[in-house]
Amino acid sequence: MMTLEELAALLREGHHSLVVQSRDGMVRTFDGRGVADLYRLWHDEPHFLQGADVADKVVGKGAAALMIAGGVRRVHTRVVSEAALELFQASPVQVKYEEKVPHIINRAGTGRCPLEALCAPCATVDECLPVIERFVQEQGVRGKR
Protein backbone atom coordinates (compact mmCIF):
# COMPACT_ATOMS: atom_id res chain seq x y z
CA MET A 1 0.00 0.00 0.00
CA MET A 2 1.23 3.46 -0.88
CA THR A 3 1.04 6.30 1.63
CA LEU A 4 -0.97 9.41 0.83
CA GLU A 5 2.32 11.27 0.37
CA GLU A 6 3.50 8.65 -2.15
CA LEU A 7 0.23 9.00 -4.08
CA ALA A 8 0.73 12.78 -4.14
CA ALA A 9 4.29 12.28 -5.44
CA LEU A 10 3.01 9.94 -8.16
CA LEU A 11 0.42 12.56 -9.14
CA ARG A 12 3.07 15.26 -9.36
CA GLU A 13 5.90 13.26 -10.96
CA GLY A 14 3.62 11.54 -13.48
CA HIS A 15 1.86 14.80 -14.37
CA HIS A 16 -1.48 13.12 -13.71
CA SER A 17 -4.70 14.87 -12.75
CA LEU A 18 -5.93 12.13 -10.38
CA VAL A 19 -4.46 9.10 -8.59
CA VAL A 20 -6.70 6.65 -6.73
CA GLN A 21 -5.63 3.74 -4.54
CA SER A 22 -8.45 1.33 -3.75
CA ARG A 23 -8.75 -0.11 -0.27
CA ASP A 24 -7.12 -3.32 -1.53
CA GLY A 25 -4.06 -1.39 -2.79
CA MET A 26 -4.74 -1.18 -6.54
CA VAL A 27 -3.46 2.16 -7.85
CA ARG A 28 -4.88 3.82 -10.95
CA THR A 29 -3.80 7.08 -12.54
CA PHE A 30 -5.94 9.42 -14.63
CA ASP A 31 -5.13 12.30 -16.94
CA GLY A 32 -8.56 13.75 -17.79
CA ARG A 33 -9.73 17.29 -17.24
CA GLY A 34 -12.01 18.53 -14.51
CA VAL A 35 -14.14 15.96 -12.69
CA ALA A 36 -14.62 13.64 -15.69
CA ASP A 37 -12.46 10.75 -14.42
CA LEU A 38 -13.72 11.06 -10.86
CA TYR A 39 -17.31 11.15 -12.11
CA ARG A 40 -16.79 8.01 -14.21
CA LEU A 41 -15.35 6.18 -11.19
CA TRP A 42 -18.23 7.28 -8.96
CA HIS A 43 -20.80 6.44 -11.61
CA ASP A 44 -19.37 3.23 -13.10
CA GLU A 45 -17.12 1.74 -10.40
CA PRO A 46 -18.36 2.96 -7.03
CA HIS A 47 -16.72 -0.01 -5.29
CA PHE A 48 -13.29 1.31 -6.37
CA LEU A 49 -13.81 4.61 -4.51
CA GLN A 50 -15.20 3.04 -1.32
CA GLY A 51 -12.44 3.38 1.29
CA ALA A 52 -9.96 4.70 -1.31
CA ASP A 53 -7.12 7.17 -0.90
CA VAL A 54 -7.03 9.93 -3.53
CA ALA A 55 -4.46 12.43 -4.75
CA ASP A 56 -5.97 15.16 -6.94
CA LYS A 57 -4.46 18.32 -8.39
CA VAL A 58 -7.41 20.60 -7.69
CA VAL A 59 -10.49 19.90 -5.58
CA GLY A 60 -13.53 22.11 -5.84
CA LYS A 61 -16.96 21.56 -4.38
CA GLY A 62 -18.07 19.20 -7.16
CA ALA A 63 -15.04 16.93 -6.82
CA ALA A 64 -15.40 16.94 -3.04
CA ALA A 65 -19.05 15.91 -3.35
CA LEU A 66 -18.14 12.99 -5.64
CA MET A 67 -15.39 11.84 -3.27
CA ILE A 68 -17.67 12.00 -0.25
CA ALA A 69 -20.52 10.26 -2.09
CA GLY A 70 -18.07 7.61 -3.26
CA GLY A 71 -16.89 6.86 0.27
CA VAL A 72 -13.29 8.01 -0.18
CA ARG A 73 -11.23 7.67 3.01
CA ARG A 74 -8.45 10.23 2.53
CA VAL A 75 -7.58 12.98 0.04
CA HIS A 76 -4.41 14.90 -0.72
CA THR A 77 -4.69 17.89 -3.05
CA ARG A 78 -2.50 20.73 -4.11
CA VAL A 79 -5.41 23.20 -4.21
CA VAL A 80 -8.76 23.04 -2.44
CA SER A 81 -11.59 25.55 -2.42
CA GLU A 82 -13.18 26.81 0.78
CA ALA A 83 -16.52 25.35 -0.34
CA ALA A 84 -14.93 21.92 -0.85
CA LEU A 85 -13.36 22.08 2.61
CA GLU A 86 -16.75 22.88 4.13
CA LEU A 87 -18.21 19.72 2.56
CA PHE A 88 -15.24 17.64 3.70
CA GLN A 89 -15.51 18.97 7.27
CA ALA A 90 -19.09 17.66 7.46
CA SER A 91 -17.92 14.22 6.30
CA PRO A 92 -15.57 11.48 7.55
CA VAL A 93 -13.07 12.15 4.71
CA GLN A 94 -9.61 13.21 5.92
CA VAL A 95 -8.11 15.99 3.80
CA LYS A 96 -4.55 17.27 3.36
CA TYR A 97 -3.96 20.25 1.11
CA GLU A 98 -1.17 22.57 0.10
CA GLU A 99 -3.21 25.67 -0.70
CA LYS A 100 -6.73 26.79 0.20
CA VAL A 101 -8.42 29.25 -2.18
CA PRO A 102 -11.76 31.08 -2.00
CA HIS A 103 -12.93 29.25 -5.15
CA ILE A 104 -11.53 27.32 -8.09
CA ILE A 105 -10.69 29.41 -11.15
CA ASN A 106 -11.69 28.34 -14.68
CA ARG A 107 -9.05 27.17 -17.16
CA ALA A 108 -8.97 30.54 -18.92
CA GLY A 109 -8.29 32.28 -15.60
CA THR A 110 -11.17 34.66 -16.21
CA GLY A 111 -13.57 33.63 -13.45
CA ARG A 112 -14.94 30.81 -11.38
CA CYS A 113 -14.83 27.18 -12.46
CA PRO A 114 -18.25 26.44 -13.99
CA LEU A 115 -18.95 23.43 -11.76
CA GLU A 116 -17.83 25.29 -8.64
CA ALA A 117 -20.27 28.07 -9.56
CA LEU A 118 -23.13 25.62 -10.25
CA CYS A 119 -22.57 23.84 -6.92
CA ALA A 120 -22.25 27.08 -4.93
CA PRO A 121 -25.92 27.22 -3.81
CA CYS A 122 -25.91 23.53 -2.78
CA ALA A 123 -25.67 22.98 0.97
CA THR A 124 -25.07 19.21 0.92
CA VAL A 125 -23.50 16.44 -1.13
CA ASP A 126 -26.98 15.17 -2.02
CA GLU A 127 -27.86 18.58 -3.45
CA CYS A 128 -24.60 18.69 -5.46
CA LEU A 129 -24.94 15.28 -7.14
CA PRO A 130 -27.79 16.07 -9.60
CA VAL A 131 -26.06 19.35 -10.49
CA ILE A 132 -22.85 17.43 -11.23
CA GLU A 133 -24.74 14.80 -13.26
CA ARG A 134 -26.33 17.47 -15.44
CA PHE A 135 -23.02 19.28 -15.87
CA VAL A 136 -21.04 16.22 -16.95
CA GLN A 137 -23.80 15.10 -19.31
CA GLU A 138 -23.78 18.52 -20.94
CA GLN A 139 -19.99 18.22 -21.27
CA GLY A 140 -20.37 14.86 -22.99
CA VAL A 141 -18.98 12.73 -20.16
CA ARG A 142 -20.80 9.43 -20.17
CA GLY A 143 -20.91 6.65 -17.66
CA LYS A 144 -21.61 2.97 -18.37
CA ARG A 145 -24.82 2.65 -16.34
Side-chain angles (χ1 to χ4, degrees):
M1 294 285 280
M2 294 177 74
T3 66
L4 199 54
E5 291 73 23
E6 289 169 328
L7 293 175
L10 178 59
L11 176 85
R12 197 172 35 259
E13 293 163 9
H15 304 286
H16 302 295
S17 57
L18 178 70
V19 177
V20 180
Q21 177 175 249
S22 67
R23 68 176 161 232
D24 64 0
M26 180 185 287
V27 176
R28 290 170 58 187
T29 60
F30 301 88
D31 301 310
R33 297 174 76 180
V35 298
D37 293 323
L38 187 57
Y39 172 80
R40 282 189 199 99
L41 278 174
W42 172 76
H43 189 270
D44 299 340
E45 303 176 69
H47 60 280
F48 196 80
L49 285 178
Q50 191 66 45
D53 288 341
V54 173
D56 198 339
K57 282 173 41 176
V58 177
V59 176
K61 193 171 185 177
L66 288 170
M67 291 178 198
I68 295 164
V72 166
R73 180 175 69 135
R74 298 184 305 174
V75 176
H76 182 281
T77 184
R78 286 191 252 175
V79 178
V80 67
S81 72
E82 291 174 357
L85 270 180
E86 287 178 20
L87 279 185
F88 281 134
Q89 289 167 350
S91 79
V93 179
Q94 299 171 25
V95 182
K96 290 180 88 171
Y97 60 90
E98 297 169 28
E99 181 182 3
K100 177 176 72 168
V101 296
H103 55 269
I104 304 303
I105 302 295
N106 65 22
R107 285 184 189 90
T110 58
R112 228 178 214 193
C113 159
L115 187 55
E116 182 100 340
L118 290 169
C119 288
C122 302
T124 66
V125 169
D126 288 339
E127 290 177 14
C128 288
L129 294 176
V131 172
I132 297 165
E133 292 247 31
R134 278 191 304 277
F135 177 79
V136 296
Q137 288 169 1
E138 288 169 4
Q139 299 299 308
V141 176
R142 300 280 184 235
K144 293 179 188 170
R145 276 193 228 168

